Amino acid sequence: MKKQFIKSQSIGNDFIIFEDLNNELHFTKEEIARLCDRHFGIGADGLMIARPSQKADFTMLFFNPDGSQAEMCGNGIRCFAKYLYDDCLTNKTKILIETLAGIREVSLSIDNDKAMEATVDMGEPVFKPSEIPVKLEGDEIINQSLEIEEERVKITCVSMGNPHCVIFVEEVVSAPVKTLGPLIENSAFFPKRTNVEFVQVINRNEIKMRVWERGAGETLACGTGACAAVVVGVKNELTERSVRVYLPGGNLNIKWLETNHVIMTGSAEEIFRGEINF
């Protein structure tokens, strides 16, 4: 079977996008993992499927590169919205996209009939442990001590539609992302696993971040993770509510509005398109 796809990226997070407006495309977990494999497949940090929606303009199904399904992807949804507009599936510059984390509104900036940048209303952060979910005591997990295999760290937990565990560090370059990240991701404290952000505060309006993504490992960027880092920075009285986030793959602008909604702005780019056998 042959299927056409689009490959896109946003500040170093790369994605495969398939159109499935007739609800006919069904990948197994193993097939998704193979498509995302950088040696045996196309290679990507995630795979998205575009389907119709009865609640919004479109539905975005998102899968991690290990084949597991995720609720939401901040960088992915910008690429997804650009694809919808650039491929004339919609002429709207404000698109409502249904995800497992709820409906998200994406506003596109257009130049020469192409979407260049996207601003996403990422919804409201959730700090209630049972809804993140995280199995720790307390009404909120803010700067709480956690012991992972004899290493003790201070964590703050939040959901941005998917779970995040944020750790502040002195130097993000030397942070133990590849060793501590997978231990926390797969800890029994996180029944649905978790993304892990290592954050260095530069000043109250700028932070640096590296991320260990659930089901993907360390990636060049994470949109929901950047949002999580900013709201957690505010909670810990380390940052203002409008912050520029520097990641290995590029930069994002994040605002936590007084309405409690988190707004993310960043780029999106198509890399190439093609056809694959599977």
Side-chain angles (χ1 to χ4, degrees):
M1 179 179 176
K2 292 184 177 181
K3 186 65 179 177
Q4 292 181 337
F5 69 90
I6 290 174
K7 179 76 178 288
S8 295
Q9 70 88 19
S10 174
I11 61 169
N13 262 162
D14 57 341
F15 308 98
I16 305 162
I17 305 174
F18 287 99
E19 179 184 316
D20 184 30
L21 299 184
N22 295 319
N23 295 319
E24 296 174 341
L25 188 60
H26 300 280
F27 291 122
T28 65
K29 184 176 181 179
E30 291 73 23
E31 286 172 334
I32 291 169
R34 187 173 181 86
L35 287 168
C36 291
D37 189 281
R38 299 187 185 278
H39 300 285
F40 298 100
I42 301 165
D45 290 327
L47 181 148
M48 293 178 282
I49 298 175
R51 285 187 177 166
S53 171
Q54 295 182 348
K55 301 177 182 178
D57 296 314
F58 293 90
T59 295
M60 180 185 88
L61 298 180
F62 184 86
F63 299 89
N64 295 313
D66 66 356
S68 61
Q69 190 166 9
E71 301 89 345
M72 171 60 182
C73 177
N75 288 330
I77 200 170
R78 296 202 311 278
C79 291
F80 188 84
K82 173 182 170 62
Y83 152 72
L84 295 175
Y85 184 88
D86 287 357
D87 275 49
C88 300
L89 298 180
T90 182
N91 61 3
K92 296 181 178 181
T93 57
K94 286 190 176 181
I95 308 171
L96 294 178
I97 299 174
E98 181 181 355
T99 74
L100 290 181
I103 295 173
R104 299 290 186 259
E105 182 181 83
V106 185
S107 300
L108 296 170
S109 297
I110 308 300
D111 186 23
N112 291 324
D113 294 324
K114 294 292 184 182
M116 305 302 293
E117 189 177 69
T119 296
V120 187
D121 184 338
M122 298 290 287
E124 301 183 43
V126 174
F127 290 94
K128 188 176 180 179
S130 62
E131 296 179 10
I132 294 174
V134 52
K135 291 183 176 180
L136 290 170
E137 296 296 325
D139 295 331
E140 295 181 339
I141 310 302
I142 308 294
N143 199 32
Q144 185 166 320
S145 184
L146 179 71
E147 187 171 335
I148 297 287
E149 294 197 3
E150 299 182 353
E151 184 162 357
R152 187 167 292 277
V153 292
K154 294 279 191 174
I155 66 168
T156 301
C157 298
V158 63
S159 172
M160 286 303 311
N162 52 2
H164 294 272
C165 174
V166 180
I167 301 169
F168 290 100
V169 297
E170 291 295 324
E171 290 287 342
V172 75
V173 173
S174 58
V177 178
K178 287 180 168 38
T179 54
L180 191 56
L183 293 178
I184 295 177
E185 176 199 355
N186 296 290
S187 167
F189 290 114
F190 298 95
K192 291 188 176 180
R193 297 188 293 168
T194 189
N195 302 283
V196 188
E197 285 77 32
F198 297 81
V199 179
Q200 175 187 343
V201 177
I202 303 171
N203 56 55
R204 295 189 64 83
N205 294 106
E206 296 177 294
I207 61 175
K208 290 182 180 180
M209 188 183 97
R210 288 171 63 194
V211 59
W212 180 270
E213 287 200 61
R214 177 182 59 168
E218 184 174 11
T219 59
L220 295 178
C222 177
T224 56
C227 294
V230 172
V231 299
V232 164
V234 175
K235 277 283 190 178
N236 283 278
E237 300 181 350
L238 296 172
T239 67
E240 301 298 330
R241 300 178 78 95
S242 180
V243 177
R244 189 165 180 81
V245 182
Y246 301 103
L247 302 113
N251 310 322
L252 289 172
N253 293 317
I254 310 295
K255 292 182 180 181
W256 188 12
L257 303 181
E258 296 298 334
T259 61
N260 202 32
H261 281 242
V262 181
I263 306 300
M264 173 185 62
T265 301
S267 63
E269 177 188 23
E270 179 181 317
I271 306 172
F272 63 87
R273 53 183 63 203
E275 187 176 75
I276 192 165
N277 294 317
F278 66 90

